[in-house]
Amino acid sequence: MTDIASAADWDIGEPLLEIVEQSTTRATDQLVSSVSPGRWEELSLTFQKAPGDDDWTVRAADFTGIARLDIAGEPVHLRVTPKIEGLDLFFLADWAYGTQSVGKKLKDARANLAALRAEPAACLLGWYVAEVLAFATRWLRRGYVVREEDLVGRVRGRIDVARYLSRSVAQARPHVIPARFTEPSHDTPANRYLKAGLRQVAILSRAVPLKGARTALDELTRRALALFAGVGDVPAQPHDARRLNLAGPQRHYGPIVRFTTALLEGTYVSTEIGGHAQDAIMWSLNGLYEQALGNVLDAWPGANRVRGRHRATLLDSNGNTNGSTPVKPDYVMRRADGTELVLDAKYKNVLPVAPATNDETIDLRPARGQRIRVRRADIYQVVAYARHSGLRTNQVALLYPVSLASGERYPEPMRVQEFDPTCHLVFFDVGPSADAHRGDLYQALDQL
């Protein structure tokens, strides 16, 4: 009996290609060959075909977001969605980049949060527009700009003598006086730079595939642009920021100018992204998760981060150093009681949807009505950290993300025994109730 392969999920003619980060799907050979290998590589997608297969297996890395492709002459949207269902991108962005106010700013801007949350790229662009809108409402400054104008019957500033003689006198118009003067105006280089960022958002928002999110983003952008009505539309490049004078009364422009530079460079907030074309908005949720969790731990009352450099050294039989490698756990925290904890962040979905099929994972006791699945290598890694001579401690934990629904109870920490030290599993809520469960995370770590 011959097996009939299921139809590929990605094929020519589909207007939207979807895949979950760090997962696979199937694509036809015709679709894959319609896009250059370099473009697929930019989007962190890899392709593999087994002997005898007609279709390709597509694998996504840990980058999420959207991109616009041209396939057979038609525009097609690619969307890579987070693997953690219900993940609150605003919460992670708030803590990863230290603002802790993105959601509030979007609400203050009267943005349609429900529509923006449905599309990660719209979340990111909406965040930028909300930051600009909040900044412009409070800090938009006028500056002195130089004007050149032909004044009739009056003098202002300095007379341009050369022009007056060559034009006004020569044309028998002595009453027309070319003058150069300064006046206060919102049409300053810094404000033009911010307006260029908003115009870039307006262009990028066209790539957002969900109509509701695109509409909400367009409305938010129009409201922000209204505050720059008196500012000229001038194309800007990232290197233009180096020419801006942000001293004195312009010092408040520093953070928002850096944010705008990231947008214009295509890095889209995270310096770890980089290199993507302007019609692709993608970033690493793995990096976002680790940075956000680090800042949440830094806000742990009564605890503080322990910083230091540790290495593992390789010696030969004569005791000579033959090499070394850094030993870098994600976080080392010292509690108020003096106990040091070695913590390792793992951006992995530990709630399995199918039974384990190999020996690389361990299924643990039920939690939240489901089993927890942990990779053995993760346990070995954090236990090895704790045995390092400079990090020796009996308290180690793996920190995994979970998305808890509103009103759902925070899961108790779990233990993997038979190791020395015992490895704990602690959960970091990244769902809609994430901020309310930060205290539960601190309490769980205090009780290890």
Side-chain angles (χ1 to χ4, degrees), residues 229-252:
V231 179
D233 274 299
V234 178
Q237 299 297 325
H239 60 262
D240 293 336
R242 294 195 294 268
R243 294 196 290 266
L244 299 178
N245 180 10
L246 303 182
Q250 304 288 318
R251 64 187 182 280
H252 301 295

Side-chain angles (χ1 to χ4, degrees), residues 267-283:
T267 55
Y268 304 108
V269 184
S270 173
T271 57
E272 297 176 10
I273 304 168
H276 292 295
Q278 291 290 1
D279 56 356
I281 308 168
M282 306 188 75
W283 66 100

Side-chain angles (χ1 to χ4, degrees), residues 170-185:
Q171 297 174 10
R173 302 170 63 206
H175 59 289
V176 178
I177 303 174
R180 177 179 295 176
F181 54 90
T182 59
E183 66 176 7
S185 171

Side-chain angles (χ1 to χ4, degrees), residues 302-303 333-341 395 445-448:
M333 304 296 298
R334 181 179 290 114
R335 294 191 312 213
D337 62 3
T339 302
E340 290 190 0
L341 284 73
Q395 301 297 340
L445 294 174
D446 266 324
Q447 294 176 352
L448 292 185

Side-chain angles (χ1 to χ4, degrees), residues 23 47 148 215 348 384 422:
S23 71
F47 299 84
E148 292 185 354
T215 301
K348 297 175 181 178
T422 296

Side-chain angles (χ1 to χ4, degrees), residues 307-328:
R307 304 188 184 275
R309 296 182 178 180
H310 308 283
R311 304 189 71 83
T313 306
L314 178 64
L315 303 178
D316 62 20
S317 57
N318 297 320
N320 299 316
T321 300
N322 200 23
S324 65
T325 184
V327 176
K328 298 193 300 182

Side-chain angles (χ1 to χ4, degrees), residues 13-324:
E14 296 288 340
L16 177 64
L17 308 177
E18 290 191 278
I19 188 172
V20 178
E21 63 167 324
Q22 296 181 344
S23 71
T24 62
T25 190
R26 303 280 288 177
T28 63
D29 186 75
Q30 185 181 7
L31 183 141
V32 173
S33 60
S34 298
V35 179
S36 68
R39 181 61 169 149
W40 288 128
E41 185 178 355
E42 285 179 352
L43 301 172
S44 298
L45 297 175
T46 57
F47 299 84
Q48 187 175 19
K49 181 188 287 189
D53 280 356
D54 293 327
D55 298 327
W56 292 86
T57 297
V58 187
R59 179 172 294 278
D62 62 349
F63 283 83
T64 61
I66 64 167
R68 188 164 51 185
L69 304 173
D70 181 47
I71 297 179
E74 295 293 330
V76 175
H77 286 106
L78 165 71
R79 180 162 66 215
V80 185
T81 56
K83 63 184 177 184
I84 306 295
E85 186 176 353
L87 179 142
D88 188 342
L89 182 63
F90 289 156
F91 172 79
L92 290 182
D94 279 346
W95 282 96
Y97 300 107
T99 63
Q100 299 161 28
S101 61
V102 176
K104 181 180 184 302
K105 286 181 179 176
L106 283 165
K107 290 177 183 177
D108 292 345
R110 305 191 306 280
N112 187 341
L113 283 175
L116 292 178
R117 285 180 188 274
E119 176 54 66
C123 289
L124 185 64
L125 294 175
W127 175 25
Y128 169 76
V129 177
E131 290 284 353
V132 174
L133 203 156
F135 172 85
T137 302
R138 182 179 182 186
W139 295 114
L140 199 65
R141 292 286 188 266
R142 291 193 300 176
Y144 285 94
V145 297
V146 177
R147 300 260 187 225
E148 292 185 354
E149 189 174 336
D150 290 342
L151 304 177
V152 179
R154 62 193 181 96
V155 176
R156 183 180 180 186
R158 294 184 178 183
I159 299 175
D160 189 335
V161 177
R163 288 178 57 207
Y164 181 69
L165 294 175
S166 63
R167 296 177 56 182
S168 299
V169 174
Q171 297 174 10
R173 302 170 63 206
H175 59 289
V176 178
I177 303 174
R180 177 179 295 176
F181 54 90
T182 59
E183 66 176 7
S185 171
H186 281 117
D187 192 17
T188 63
N191 290 339
R192 289 181 179 183
Y193 192 71
L194 299 187
K195 190 171 185 178
L198 292 174
R199 292 297 188 195
Q200 181 68 10
V201 170
I203 295 172
L204 290 170
S205 64
R206 300 171 191 168
V208 175
L210 294 185
K211 183 179 180 181
R214 189 167 60 246
T215 301
L217 192 55
D218 288 344
E219 182 180 339
L220 185 62
T221 305
R222 283 198 301 271
R223 284 206 299 273
L225 283 170
L227 298 177
F228 291 80
V231 179
D233 274 299
V234 178
Q237 299 297 325
H239 60 262
D240 293 336
R242 294 195 294 268
R243 294 196 290 266
L244 299 178
N245 180 10
L246 303 182
Q250 304 288 318
R251 64 187 182 280
H252 301 295
Y253 279 74
I256 196 63
V257 164
R258 288 193 293 271
F259 202 161
T260 303
T261 300
L263 182 82
L264 295 176
E265 285 179 338
T267 55
Y268 304 108
V269 184
S270 173
T271 57
E272 297 176 10
I273 304 168
H276 292 295
Q278 291 290 1
D279 56 356
I281 308 168
M282 306 188 75
W283 66 100
S284 170
L285 277 184
N286 181 50
L288 194 67
Y289 170 76
E290 291 185 3
Q291 183 64 38
L293 179 53
N295 290 338
V296 167
L297 291 173
D298 286 339
W300 180 4
N304 61 282
R305 183 90 69 99
V306 178
R307 304 188 184 275
R309 296 182 178 180
H310 308 283
R311 304 189 71 83
T313 306
L314 178 64
L315 303 178
D316 62 20
S317 57
N318 297 320
N320 299 316
T321 300
N322 200 23
S324 65

